[in-house]
Amino acid sequence: MTDLTNTAAPFLRIDGVSKRFGDVTALRDVSLDLRKGEIHALIGPSGCGKSTLLRIVAGFETADEGSVHLGQRRIDTLKPEARGIGIVFQDYALFPHLTVAQNVAFALKYADDARRVAGTAPLLRMVRLDGLESRFPDELSGGQQQRVALARTFAAGPRAILLDEPFSNLDASLRETTRREIRDILKASGLGILFVTHDREEALSFADRISVLREGGVEQTGLPKDLYFRPANAFVAGFLGSTNFLDGIANGASAETPLGRVGLDRPASGPVRLSLRPEAIGIAMEGSDGVPGIVASLVFKGHDASAFVRVGETIFEVLMRASLDIRPGQRVHVAAHLPAVVLKE
Amino acid sequence: MTAQPQAAAERSAPWIEVFGRRGATGRKPPLFLMLPAIVAGAMMLIPLVYLVVRASATERTELAAIVLRPFTLQVTLNTLALVGSVLALTTAIALPLALLVTRTDVPAKRAITILATLPLAIPGYVMAYALIGLSGYYGPLNAFFGLRLPRPEGLFGAALALSLYTFPYVFLNVRAALLGLDPALEESARSLGRSPRAAFLSVTLPHLRPALLSAWLVVALYTLGDYGAIALMRYDVLSSAIFSQYANAFEVNYAAWLALMLLAIAAAFLVLEGALNRGRRLTRTGTGTRRSVLAVALGRWRWPALGFAALVHIASLGVPALVIAFWLSRAPADVDWAKVPVTVLGTLSVALPAAALAVAIAVPVALVATRWPSRLTYGIERMTYFGYAVPALPFALATVFFTLAVVPALYQTVAILVIALTLHTAALAVGPVRVRLLQIGPRVEESARSFGYSAPAAFCSVTLPALSRSVLAGAIFVFIVVAKELPITLLLAPSGFTTMAMNVFSRTQEGMLYEAAPYAALMIGFSAISVALMLRSERDRP
Ligand SMILES: Nc1ncnc2c1ncn2[C@@H]1O[C@H](COP(=O)(O)OP(=O)(O)O)[C@@H](O)[C@H]1O
Ligand SMILES: [Mg+2]
C-alpha cells in the first residue's frame, strides 16, 4: 500500500499556512500534501494546532497566510459548502433530531425525497448499519454514531475527508476493532484522508504517512516506519515512542558513547545527539560484552518487559524478553545491537 | 479517635442538639423541615379550592345566564388575540436580535445584549404609562416635535406595551439556545453542502424550538396574568373583567367563573407546551468542545441591523426614560412630594416581610426536595412553582374567598396581602436555593459528619454558609417582584393602604401623568436591581 501512495500525485496541497488567534500562534508556515487513496495522520501534543489546520482546510477558519489547493483548484477562498471536503468531528455532530437514514440523506444532493431515501441504503450497507435506519443518534453506541457520521460524509461525495480525533470518544476496548473496520472502509473509498490524533499507536498503525506537529509547525513528515526508526529530531523520536537519548562523539559510521562504541544510521563526525530505542539495546549477564550497569527497576508488560539499567549517571530503558531471569539490583551488561539514530538538534 | 464525638458535641451549638443526631441522611425528612414545606405547599392550593367552591355555589339555572353572555366570549377572544399578538411581536423583536448577537459580526454585541435585557426592569404598567405619556396634547412628542398621536389603546396598545417589556424572555432564551448549540452541527451541515441559510433552517431552527416554546409559555403566562398595562390600554380581557366584575360590579360569582376560565387557559398553555416539546430529540450526542460558530459577515446589512437594534432599544428603554423625565420636569410643583415617602414605606411594609417569609418557605422546601427526593417532596416543590404560574387575579380572588370563609378577621389586612404575595412569589426564592443545594451536594456534609458532627451541626457549619448568597438572591428577587406587583395588591390591599405600583397605575388611569412620574421612576430603580442581579448570575455561569 505504501508503494501506491508514494507514486500517487498530491492532490490536496497545504502551502505555507499560518494562523494566529490574538497573540497565540496556532500554525506557523505549515506545508503538507495529501495523495489520492492515502491516509495521512497529523499527530502532535494537545494544543499544537491540529484541529485548527483541519478547520482551515474545511473552511471554518481562514488562514492568515498560505493557500490550500484541491487538485488544480485553490479552495481556501471558497465557502465550506463549495469545497468538496468532508469533515467528521470528534463528537461526530450527528443531527439529533434526524434518524440515521435522515442524517445520511441530509447530505445527498438529489432533489426528490424518494431518491434520497433510496440513496442512503448502499451507504448504510457500506458502514454496516443496515437495519438501524430509523434509529435516532442517541439510540446508537459511540462506534455506530461514528459510522453514521462517516456514511453521511461519504454521501456528500467529497474528494477528501478530514477526521478530527475520530477514535478518542470510543471505549478503549472498542478502539482497536473499530479502527481496523474504519480503516478498511476508508481505504476502500480511495479518497484522500487527513486525520488528526494525539495517540502515537493510532498514528503508526492507521496511517500511510505521518506528519508530526509541534507548536504549530511541522517537525517531520514521512512513512510510519521511517519516522519511528529515523526520527529527524529528539521531539519526533520521543513523541513516537519511548527512546534513550545519548550524547557521543561521532567518527564516521560509529560514535563513542556511554554505551561504548555504537553504530550510526548515517555517517557523522564530532559531537552528536543520538536516539536509541529500547529494543535496540541488548541486555546480558555480567561477563558478556557491552558496558556494565545495574538494574534499577523492572516493568513487566506480558510478553516482554522493560528493564531500567543504570550506567554511570544515566538510566537506559531496555526491552527484553519477560522470561529472562533478571532482578532489580542485579549487575548486567548492556550494548546497542542496532545502529543509533543521529538527531538534528 | 474516641475524643472526636465529644469534640463535635462541644462544637455544635446547644440548640442543635434538640433536633437530635439522626436526620440529614435518614430516609425521612425531619418534621421541623417537612411541616413548613407542607404548610406552604398546601397554602398554594387551598385558596384555589375555595375559588371552585365559590363558583360552584352558583345555581345551575343562574349559571347559564351569568356565564353565557356575549361579553364572556368577547373577553375570552380578546385574551387569546392579545396572547397571540404579544407572542408574534416579541418573537419578531427577539429572534432577529438573538441571531444578530450570536451569529453575525454586528458590532457592540455585549451592549445590545445588555440593552435587550434591561426592559425586564420596567413593569408593564410603567411601559403602558410611557406609551400613553408620550402622545397626547401635553406629551413630549407634541412639545418637542409638534407631533400628535392618538393615545395608544386597545389590542394594539396592550400588545405593544406587553411586548416591549416581555421580549427579553424570548431574547435570552433563544440566545442561550444559540450559544449552547454545538457549532459542529452547523459546520457539518455546511461541509455537507448546505448554504448558511439552508443550514440554519434545517439544523439550527429545529434546535431553537424548545427554547422558543418555553419562552412563549412564560410570555403567555405573563400576558394572561397582567392587569395593569392592559387596563391602562383600556382593553377588555379576562383579567380586567375579573377585576371589574369583582371590584366595580360586585358580581362575585361571575368573577369566580371568569377566574376559573383564565386558569383553564393558563393550564391549557402549560399542557400544550409540554405536548409540543414531547418526543423531541435534541440532546447532544457528543461532548464537543465549545467553539463559536462562524459569524456571518453583515457587510452592507450592518447599518440596517444596527438600526433595528437601536429602534428596539429606543422603544423599550428610551421612551420610558424620556417620558418619565419629561413629566418629572413638567410639573414638579404639583406633585404631592410628601406622599412619596409614605408610599415607599407602604411598598416596603409589604415587600420586606414577603421576602423574609418567602425565604423561610424556600429553604425547607428546597432542602426536602433535594435531600429527600420523593413524590411528596417533589409535589411540594412543584406547588410553589404552581403558585407563581397561576395568573395573579384568580389567585387574589381565591385568597379573598378563602379569607372570607375561613379567617374573616384577616380580610382586608396587610397580613393577608403579605401572605398572598409571598405564596405567589416563593418560587423565585426556591429556584436559586435549590440550584445551589444541588451544586453543593450532600458529600461535604457527609464528610463533616465523618469528623463527628451531628447532622444539624454539619448542615449549619458546612451547607448553610455556602447557601447564604443564594438565599439572599432569592430574597431580593421576591422583594423586587412584590414591590412591582399590582393586581394582587389592588385586590387585597386594605382601603387607605397604598404602594408605589398602585400610585403609578391609578394616577395614570386618572390621566395625571406627572403625578405618576416619580413613582414610575422609583419602580424602575427598584427593578433595575433585579436585572443587575440577573445579568450578574448570567455572567457567572460557566
Ligand atoms: N477560535 C479560537 N480562538 C482562540 N484561540 C484558539 C481558537 N482555536 C484554537 N485556538 C488556540 O490555538 C491553539 C491550537 O488549537 P487546536 O488547533 O485546537 O489544537 P489541537 O487540536 O492540536 O489540540 C491552541 O493554543 C488554542 O488555544
Ligand atoms: Mg483538537
Side-chain angles (χ1 to χ4, degrees):
Chain A
M1 55 188 162
T2 45
D3 299 330
L4 183 145
T5 55
N6 273 338
T7 50
F11 87 116
L12 179 73
R13 227 173 58 236
I14 299 167
D15 278 316
V17 164
S18 296
K19 175 73 182 174
R20 295 175 65 84
F21 294 106
D23 28 283
V24 178
T25 302
L27 294 172
R28 57 184 102 223
D29 193 21
V30 170
S31 296
L32 48 96
D33 61 73
L34 180 68
R35 298 159 193 174
K36 247 197 185 95
E38 173 193 42
I39 298 182
H40 192 138
L42 280 176
I43 185 170
S46 158
C48 71
K50 306 178 296 289
S51 296
T52 305
L53 186 61
L54 284 201
R55 294 170 60 79
I56 286 174
V57 175
F60 301 122
E61 304 278 2
T62 34
D64 299 334
E65 281 163 49
S67 65
V68 182
H69 283 81
L70 187 64
Q72 298 305 310
R73 194 155 169 231
R74 182 165 179 178
I75 58 164
D76 57 302
T77 48
L78 302 179
K79 290 181 177 164
E81 62 267 30
R83 294 192 176 195
I85 302 263
I87 183 164
V88 177
F89 289 94
Q90 192 169 358
D91 56 359
Y92 321 133
L94 296 181
F95 303 128
H97 60 300
L98 303 180
T99 62
V100 166
Q102 287 168 336
N103 260 284
V104 176
F106 186 94
L108 288 168
K109 298 205 168 72
Y110 308 120
D112 75 293
D113 288 349
R115 282 189 66 190
R116 287 236 304 270
V117 171
T120 62
L123 289 160
L124 288 174
R125 219 173 305 123
M126 182 176 93
V127 296
R128 300 198 293 98
L129 282 174
D130 27 343
L132 301 183
E133 292 83 357
S134 47
R135 294 262 189 107
F136 282 92
D138 60 349
E139 297 169 325
L140 299 178
S141 73
Q144 289 169 331
Q145 289 182 18
Q146 185 185 45
R147 279 182 278 151
V148 177
L150 213 51
R152 189 178 67 175
T153 306
F154 281 127
R159 297 176 61 194
I161 294 181
L162 316 175
L163 301 134
D164 194 351
E165 311 233 359
F167 306 106
S168 62
N169 274 344
L170 298 180
D171 290 343
S173 57
L174 270 176
R175 220 172 283 164
E176 190 95 16
T177 35
T178 311
R179 241 187 248 160
R180 227 173 306 131
E181 284 174 11
I182 297 289
R183 189 170 201 283
D184 292 343
I185 295 170
L186 291 175
K187 271 306 203 185
S189 75
L191 299 175
I193 312 290
L194 188 59
F195 99 101
V196 156
T197 180
H198 59 254
D199 179 336
R200 63 186 180 213
E201 259 178 63
E202 193 166 292
L204 291 170
S205 64
F206 198 83
D208 299 320
R209 274 199 307 161
I210 298 178
S211 290
V212 179
L213 251 73
R214 177 198 193 182
E215 289 172 9
V218 177
E219 295 280 296
Q220 192 178 2
T221 298
L223 302 177
K225 251 187 181 162
D226 289 347
L227 256 60
Y228 186 79
F229 289 114
R230 305 191 55 167
N233 56 33
F235 178 79
V236 175
F239 200 78
L240 289 181
S242 47
T243 195
N244 300 291
F245 294 115
L246 56 170
D247 294 313
I249 308 291
N251 179 14
S254 64
E256 206 53 57
T257 73
L259 278 185
R261 180 155 287 278
V262 170
L264 300 179
D265 68 329
R266 65 201 118 188
S269 63
V272 283
R273 194 165 172 71
L274 306 172
S275 159
L276 207 49
R277 298 262 178 225
E279 61 268 30
I281 304 178
I283 189 166
M285 298 304 158
E286 220 180 341
S288 332
D289 51 345
V291 294
I294 294 176
V295 178
S297 60
L298 275 171
V299 176
F300 177 63
K301 296 193 283 198
H303 68 293
D304 50 24
S306 284
F308 292 86
V309 180
R310 178 187 299 279
V311 176
E313 292 293 283
T314 23
I315 292 200
F316 290 95
E317 182 181 352
V318 181
L319 199 69
M320 61 177 214
R321 269 182 295 120
S323 56
L324 228 56
D325 186 27
I326 282 179
R327 310 228 162 96
Q330 197 169 329
R331 295 184 170 280
V332 291
H333 271 76
V334 286
H337 55 59
L338 288 174
V341 178
V342 181
L343 300 173
K344 288 181 221 123
E345 219 37 57
Chain B
M1 277 308 257
T2 45
Q4 270 189 359
Q6 204 186 337
E10 280 161 19
R11 261 176 263 145
S12 54
W15 63 271
I16 285 164
E17 292 304 301
V18 175
F19 302 126
R21 284 175 175 276
R22 294 196 61 253
T25 48
R27 285 279 161 69
K28 279 189 174 164
L31 197 63
F32 75 96
L33 283 178
M34 214 40 200
L35 212 58
I38 290 178
V39 169
M43 299 249 308
M44 310 277 167
L45 211 53
I46 291 172
L48 295 171
V49 173
Y50 273 86
L51 187 62
V52 177
V53 169
R54 188 63 189 243
S56 54
T58 323
E59 296 283 331
R60 272 268 169 80
T61 46
E62 214 185 333
L63 183 61
I66 295 185
V67 178
L68 299 179
R69 350 179 174 179
F71 179 71
T72 311
L73 184 65
Q74 187 61 52
V75 291
T76 307
L77 289 179
N78 281 0
T79 303
L80 294 176
L82 182 62
V83 171
S85 311
V86 171
L87 291 185
L89 201 53
T90 48
T91 309
I93 295 172
L95 189 59
L97 272 188
L99 285 170
L100 271 184
V101 297
T102 55
R103 289 294 191 271
T104 70
D105 62 350
V106 75
K109 284 185 184 141
R110 179 96 189 120
I112 293 177
T113 303
I114 291 174
L115 290 174
T117 311
L118 286 179
L120 287 177
I122 300 172
Y125 48 87
V126 172
M127 194 61 88
Y129 161 83
L131 292 175
I132 292 165
L134 182 68
S135 57
Y137 185 72
Y138 297 105
L141 272 189
N142 196 20
F144 296 142
F145 306 109
L147 205 63
R148 288 191 59 188
L149 293 178
R151 181 193 194 275
E153 47 183 21
L155 177 59
F156 169 75
L160 188 64
L162 283 167
S163 300
L164 282 179
Y165 96 101
T166 53
F167 83 85
Y169 290 103
V170 183
F171 171 78
L172 290 173
N173 259 355
V174 173
R175 173 176 167 269
L178 283 168
L179 290 178
L181 193 61
D182 185 357
L185 291 177
E186 279 167 70
E187 290 175 351
S188 289
R190 292 293 299 283
S191 71
L192 295 172
R194 297 291 168 101
S195 68
R197 215 180 105 92
F200 176 78
L201 291 177
S202 57
V203 174
T204 314
L205 209 53
H207 281 85
L208 295 185
R209 195 173 130 146
L212 274 174
L213 281 174
S214 72
W216 283 341
L217 180 64
V218 171
V219 171
L221 289 178
Y222 256 97
T223 308
L224 290 181
D226 186 86
Y227 169 71
I230 301 172
L232 290 180
M233 289 298 180
R234 298 174 187 154
Y235 189 55
D236 285 328
V237 291
L238 277 165
S239 68
S240 54
I242 294 168
F243 189 86
S244 59
Q245 292 305 318
Y246 170 77
N248 307 331
F250 302 109
E251 283 212 49
V252 179
N253 289 350
Y254 186 36
W257 277 103
L258 290 173
L260 283 180
M261 290 171 67
L262 187 53
L263 276 177
I265 292 178
F269 282 137
L270 271 165
V271 171
L272 192 66
E273 195 252 2
L276 289 175
N277 250 340
R278 198 163 313 130
R280 295 263 110 197
R281 293 170 184 275
L282 299 171
T283 42
R284 282 171 79 141
T285 46
T287 49
T289 41
R290 289 264 170 110
R291 258 187 216 271
S292 45
V293 179
L294 269 193
V296 174
L298 285 174
R300 294 185 283 132
W301 289 97
R302 183 192 182 107
W303 295 112
L306 276 177
F308 172 74
L311 187 70
V312 171
H313 301 325
I314 289 172
S316 60
L317 298 169
V319 167
L322 171 85
V323 170
I324 291 170
F326 174 83
W327 287 104
L328 270 179
S329 71
R330 267 305 122 125
D334 279 24
V335 175
D336 185 359
W337 290 108
K339 220 185 133 202
V340 175
V342 177
T343 314
V344 171
L345 275 181
T347 295
L348 291 181
S349 71
V350 181
L352 284 176
L357 254 176
V359 166
I361 290 173
V363 173
V365 166
L367 204 56
V368 295
T370 52
R371 289 292 159 83
W372 293 274
S374 72
R375 278 232 183 108
L376 176 65
T377 57
Y378 175 79
I380 290 172
E381 193 205 350
R382 288 287 111 179
M383 284 318 299
T384 64
Y385 291 110
F386 177 75
Y388 188 59
V390 169
L393 275 171
F395 191 77
L397 201 58
T399 310
V400 168
F401 294 146
F402 169 73
T403 324
L404 284 176
V406 182
V407 274
L410 282 180
Y411 181 63
Q412 287 255 319
T413 59
V414 174
I416 197 72
L417 175 61
V418 168
I419 291 172
L421 287 170
T422 305
L423 294 177
H424 184 54
T425 55
L428 293 171
V430 174
V433 174
R434 187 192 126 84
V435 169
R436 188 78 186 113
L437 275 173
L438 288 176
Q439 279 175 354
I440 302 169
R443 295 288 161 268
V444 282
E445 240 174 86
E446 284 167 5
S447 78
R449 294 198 68 191
S450 76
F451 302 143
Y453 282 77
S454 70
F459 176 77
C460 292
S461 59
V462 179
T463 308
L464 205 54
L467 217 53
S468 59
R469 268 187 60 180
S470 43
V471 167
L472 185 68
I476 293 176
F477 280 136
V478 170
F479 175 84
I480 285 159
V481 170
V482 169
K484 288 202 301 193
E485 209 287 330
L486 182 66
I488 295 178
T489 316
L490 274 179
L491 211 72
L492 296 183
S495 50
F497 182 83
T498 174
T499 65
M500 296 189 286
M502 289 165 78
N503 266 284
V504 176
F505 179 71
S506 52
R507 295 291 89 80
T508 310
Q509 216 169 23
E510 293 155 11
M512 325 241 301
L513 292 167
Y514 54 86
E515 293 251 15
Y519 301 106
L522 280 169
M523 291 304 329
I524 290 185
F526 269 110
S527 317
I529 305 170
S530 73
V531 177
L533 274 176
M534 228 182 64
L535 283 174
R536 220 181 73 180
S537 68
E538 160 119 340
R539 200 187 51 214
D540 289 348
R541 259 199 328 228

